[in-house]
Structures are given as structure tokens and as C-alpha cells.
Amino acid sequence: MSGPSISRRGLLAGVSAIGASAALSACGAKTGDDTSSGTAAKADTSGSTVKVGLLNSLSGTMAISEVTVHNSLLLAIKEINAAGGVLGKKLKPVSQDGASDWPTFAEKAEGLITDDKVVATFGCWTSASRKAVKPVFERYKSLLFYPVQYEGLEQSPYIFYTGATTNQQIVPALDYLKKQGLTRLYLVGSDYVFPRTANKIIKAYAEANGMKVVGEDYAPLGSTEFSTIVNKVKDSGADAVFNTLNGDSNVAFFKEYKSSGLTAKSMPVLSVSIAEEEVKSIGTQYLEGQLTAWNYYQTTPGAANTEFVKAYQSAYGKDKPTSDPMEAAYVSVYLWKEMVEKAGSFDVAEVKAAADGIELDAPEGKVTVDGASQHVYKTARIGKVGADGLIEEVWNSGKPVKPDPYLKGYSWASGLS
């Protein structure tokens, strides 16, 4: 992996801005561009400041997760501005609430691009929200930085994916369960694109690796009724549950799980969308001993993470935890900054051309942009929830894993895409 390596000091010395864009509805571009043919919208870089878009669910079922991501983006922008900005210009964040509603995400994204004329946008959490805004960013040729792990099988010329793709989270999680002898799995997820696609991948992996999926259930996003599903899980004879529930449905699921008598010892749950903030919201008493798969934990060792945690808690409260999506969002602003400064321009085409090999010593460890896929090399980490509500790492991949969003390096995945 090549590219300019910068220290945490370098991270704090520069940041990025994001312009959001995404509406599939009305709001016409005010730039005079023919957006129907995919002509780029014009970001406003004429003044001493440039606008960046922050597009997160600040209300609704996903607010439990996305408010803290929004906060970490603001922290990065504040730090970068304090260090002089990007190409001599300060960043002005423009925040929009996607409200856990996918058409709203699209509408707000388009407004950020066409009305606010942002230079880049940071945000979205669920794959449903990302897929809602994807055609908007592509139509206007504006950049989105997406910070959350996802199901892979996607690539867009106008999206940089700074969270994990499948081979950096789901596949290592399955490898870990297999090594622990937990080969009979029950799949529980929210009923939308990420869990269904992830479970399709899990079933293909299981078939090729001597594992068995003994059950599969979905609940509407935001659902709080899990007695039927938990009873089915309890009677299934599964060794473990692979959990792709999102948002505050996890609160109801884990409370029901414990009340049924199931425990982390009798039938562990491995979750891919529960981080430290969700642990606090759900309650440690319901999650102690349960497993997670991410690329970063608040407890990840290293000076860069020590400084990140200190800065975040200084800004938002000593009792506020950090988490993987927050860190990936925070780092995404710095990655964008490095791309812009390497390009010497805010122009989207030039920024994209400069992306390959950009490297940071991030709180999660070394991350490097793969220009071909617009994903990031990341270290895979399995963690266990402790009594203090923090997640302690029990395994890691040893080095950053090259992103493989279409799983081309796995023969068992040949029919998935």
C-alpha cells in the first residue's frame, strides 16, 4: 500500500467537507446545469468558506445510532477549521435530518447539492438510505462519503465507502464463529436491503464451510415485538445468532432474549450493527458477553485513538462512548481533506483522481484508500461486550484487509453478484 502516511497530528491538522445530495423529487438545480443528462452541479468555492453537507437521521428509529455520527463529523470539521481549514478555506457544515425515512434522505441530499452547493456530503447509515441517495449523487456528480459497514456488492463513482465491506466484517465474523465451533446459525435481521443481502452472503458461506443456517427471520425496521422470533430462536438448536437488526429494534430484541432465558454463554449473539453507543442505550445487563464485529472499538490501543476519545468526550461529555461508525465518519472527513489537498482542488474529478493510496494513521489503525473500488483497507476486529459497557477486542485480522466489495476472491461467492 502506497501513499502519503500522516500521523494523528497530521489528522488534526486538516479536515474535509461534505456536500450532500440526493433528492429524487422536485428541487431543481440552480446552477443552470442539465442534470437530466448527468451534468455536474456546481459547488460554491468562491468565498473564504466552503459548505459541506451532513446527512444523518437526527430523529426516528435510526437516531439512536446516527446522532453520534453527526457529532463526530462536527468534531472533525471543528478540528480542521482550527488548524486552518482545507486549501485555506474554512468548512461550514450544513446539517440535514434524514429522519430515518429514505425518500427524505433523497430530498435532503438534492437540496444540499443544488441549493446549498456543498463540496461534498458525509452521511447515511442504513443501506436503504444510501441506495435512496445514490442516484442523486450520481446524477449531479457530487461526492458522498458513507461511513457505515454494509453488505457490499456495490460500487459507485460518486461514493467513498469508509466503513467495512463484506470481506472486512461479515466474512471475518463467520470465520471466527467457525473457529469457535459455533456452526449452527440462526439469522435475525431488520427487513430491508442490508440484512437480506448480508444473510444471502452468510448462507453461501455456510454452505461452502460446513456450517448450517437453522433459521432466518426478519422484523420491520423499528419493530419492538420479538417474542415470536426469540421463541423460534430458542427452539432452533442453534449454536449462535447472527444479528443484522438495526436501530432501536435491538433494544426490544435483547430484552426479550434475556427474558426468555437465553444468554451469551448458552447461545451467543454476534451483532454487526451494535457498537458502544447502542450498548449504552440497550443496557449492559442485556448485552454483557455478547459478540460484535467491527473495525474499531473505543478500547482499540494506540495514541491516535487515545486522542480521538479524549477530543470526543471533551466536546460531548466524559460519559459519551465512541464507536466504529463514528470513527469511520470522523476519518472520512480527514480522508477527503487529504484528497483535496493532494489534488490542489475541490473539483470532484480531480479529488477522485487523487484518492488512490491516501493513507492515515487513524484511531482504528492504518487506513488506506483503494482508488479502484473507492473503499478503504481496514483491520477486522471481533469484540465482546464487557460489564462496563465497553467492547474488548478478542480477535483481529493482524493487518488491514484489502476491500473486496464483490467478493471476487471467494469462490463460494461467485453467484452472488
Side-chain angles (χ1 to χ4, degrees), residues 177 180-188 212 214-215 229-243 253-254 256-258 260-271 286-291 384:
L177 292 175
Q180 301 304 308
L182 304 173
T183 59
R184 293 172 57 83
L185 305 181
Y186 203 107
L187 311 182
V188 177
K212 185 174 182 180
V214 298
I229 288 177
V230 169
N231 284 333
K232 289 169 69 176
V233 170
K234 188 174 183 179
D235 295 338
S236 68
D239 297 325
V241 175
F242 202 107
N243 172 29
F253 172 74
F254 277 100
E256 187 68 37
Y257 203 79
K258 183 176 181 179
S260 76
L262 291 169
T263 67
K265 187 174 181 179
S266 65
M267 192 186 296
V269 179
L270 191 150
S271 300
Y286 300 107
L287 288 170
E288 184 178 355
Q290 300 290 12
L291 299 169
K384 182 178 289 187

Side-chain angles (χ1 to χ4, degrees), residues 45-338:
T45 61
S46 61
S48 60
T49 63
V50 292
K51 293 178 181 177
V52 295
L54 309 186
L55 184 58
N56 311 104
S57 291
L58 305 179
S59 61
T61 188
M62 291 307 302
I64 185 177
S65 299
E66 295 190 54
V67 167
T68 55
V69 169
H70 180 261
N71 289 344
S72 70
L73 291 169
L74 290 174
L75 175 63
I77 291 168
K78 180 180 178 180
E79 290 175 350
I80 289 168
N81 283 341
V86 179
L87 295 184
K89 296 178 185 288
K90 297 296 179 69
L91 306 178
K92 182 178 180 180
V94 180
S95 298
Q96 291 292 350
D97 181 9
S100 305
D101 178 71
W102 324 140
T104 298
F105 266 90
E107 178 185 353
K108 298 295 186 180
E110 187 171 29
L112 285 168
I113 295 169
T114 63
D115 295 336
D116 296 302
K117 299 181 176 62
V118 298
V119 291
T121 300
F122 298 86
C124 299
W125 179 294
T126 66
S127 288
S129 65
R130 188 192 69 254
K131 287 186 178 295
V133 305
K134 178 174 175 284
V136 180
F137 284 96
E138 291 174 348
R139 179 185 182 193
Y140 291 105
K141 299 182 179 179
S142 185
L143 290 179
L144 169 69
F145 284 73
Y146 177 69
V148 186
Q149 46 72 230
Y150 82 114
E151 70 281 357
L153 307 182
E154 180 181 296
Q155 195 169 323
S156 169
Y158 296 99
I159 300 176
F160 280 90
Y161 305 77
T162 65
T165 188
T166 316
N167 74 308
Q168 299 167 317
Q169 187 195 34
I170 291 175
V171 173
L174 291 167
D175 288 342
Y176 179 81
L177 292 175
K178 181 182 175 183
K179 288 177 183 176
Q180 301 304 308
L182 304 173
T183 59
R184 293 172 57 83
L185 305 181
Y186 203 107
L187 311 182
V188 177
S190 297
D191 194 6
Y192 73 102
V193 61
F194 164 63
R196 286 194 174 273
T197 305
N199 287 344
K200 180 180 173 183
I201 292 167
I202 291 168
K203 287 184 284 187
Y205 175 101
E207 185 175 352
N209 285 275
M211 301 175 79
K212 185 174 182 180
V213 173
V214 298
E216 180 178 4
D217 271 297
Y218 299 91
L221 195 66
S223 175
T224 58
E225 173 48 56
F226 283 95
S227 58
T228 300
I229 288 177
V230 169
N231 284 333
K232 289 169 69 176
V233 170
K234 188 174 183 179
D235 295 338
S236 68
D239 297 325
V241 175
F242 202 107
N243 172 29
T244 53
L245 291 170
N246 256 283
D248 53 14
S249 289
N250 279 297
V251 179
F253 172 74
F254 277 100
K255 287 183 177 179
E256 187 68 37
Y257 203 79
K258 183 176 181 179
S259 71
S260 76
L262 291 169
T263 67
K265 187 174 181 179
S266 65
M267 192 186 296
V269 179
L270 191 150
S271 300
V272 292
S273 292
I274 289 179
E276 288 84 345
E277 183 65 25
E278 289 79 18
V279 171
K280 182 178 179 181
S281 297
I282 294 167
T284 306
Q285 68 271 31
Y286 300 107
L287 288 170
E288 184 178 355
Q290 300 290 12
L291 299 169
T292 64
W294 289 107
N295 308 100
Y296 165 89
Y297 300 111
Q298 182 173 315
T299 56
T300 296
N305 188 38
T306 299
E307 291 188 40
F308 170 58
V309 173
K310 181 180 178 180
Y312 186 84
Q313 292 183 338
S314 176
Y316 296 108
K318 292 185 181 299
D319 62 335
K320 299 298 184 182
T322 58
S323 69
D324 182 290
M326 292 163 56
E327 188 266 353
Y330 175 83
V331 170
S332 71
V333 183
Y334 280 102
L335 288 173
W336 175 83
K337 170 189 175 291
E338 292 299 313

